[in-house]
Amino acid sequence: MKIICVDGYPPERISREVAGLSRVDSKNVVRLHEATTVTLENRVCPALVFEYVPGGDLQQRIALAQKPDVDDLSGLLIGLLKGVRDLHSADGTVHRDIKPANIALRDGHWREPVLLDLGLAKANSEPTVTVYPGLIGTTGFMAPEQLAGQRARKAADLFGVGVSVRATLLGKHPFYEPGSNYTIDEARVRITAGPLDLPPEITGATRDVLDRLISPAEYERGSATSNLRRLGVIE
């Protein structure tokens, strides 16, 4: 259960998360059971009741220095791309905040990732409530176009997948030094300079897709479906 206790929490963000989760039916996207309210210390707070996804999240795995082997890494990447594909197929819904803390592992299995927290998700048919330029998402996992204050499109979700998977594999952020603070311009320069190298055992289509996903140029990232095809997944 997600209980919103913050004063002044935008009601449109709650309705956006409900709408986003109602549009998609995917084992790689968390399922919403109910939108309700709860009373805490005489305050009525909005609450969302989700399916329980046991197994922890990618951020916890990174903190514990647990890394997937080559086969599990491929399964993790495929599962995330399927979740993003299913989101994007639901009225063009864009997550806009994909990061390790928003990726659960169902029953602890690397190959069964589940996208969480669609509080920033937006469909093509919905009016925007964001004033551009503006930063929407978590800065450490934003695509360069988001850092520039531009509208987050589908390619931004692919960038979030690429950075999250690389961070899981490397045990640290592929672009930024831990504990460091960067200006927006410095962050964009580091992305343009390229990520930390992948381990040599990551080869073939998996390496190719991971490199495409974190390209500074949106058009080079392709789509979730095209990258699944590169990985040999045809459904």
Side-chain angles (χ1 to χ4, degrees), residues 15-94:
S15 61
R16 174 173 289 171
E17 184 161 10
V18 171
L21 288 166
S22 299
R23 281 190 295 267
V24 63
D25 181 14
S26 172
K27 70 175 185 178
N28 297 113
V29 180
V30 68
R31 187 179 300 278
L32 176 68
H33 289 314
E34 181 185 11
T36 184
T37 59
V38 297
T39 302
L40 298 174
E41 297 181 347
N42 298 319
R43 294 175 56 199
V44 178
C45 303
L48 303 178
V49 182
F50 297 94
E51 66 166 318
Y52 175 56
V53 184
D57 58 47
L58 283 190
Q59 187 59 51
Q60 293 169 333
R61 295 296 183 96
I62 293 171
L64 293 171
Q66 297 177 356
K67 301 178 183 181
D69 61 24
V70 174
D71 290 339
D72 282 340
L73 176 77
S74 178
L76 172 65
L77 179 58
I78 288 170
L80 286 172
L81 288 172
K82 285 183 176 180
V84 169
R85 176 202 61 191
D86 296 341
L87 266 182
H88 292 176
S89 297
D91 197 17
T93 301
V94 180

Side-chain angles (χ1 to χ4, degrees), residues 47 52 103 124 140 155 159 167 201 212 217 220 232:
Y52 175 56
I103 299 170
N124 282 336
F159 187 88
E201 62 268 22
R212 286 175 180 273
E220 291 182 352

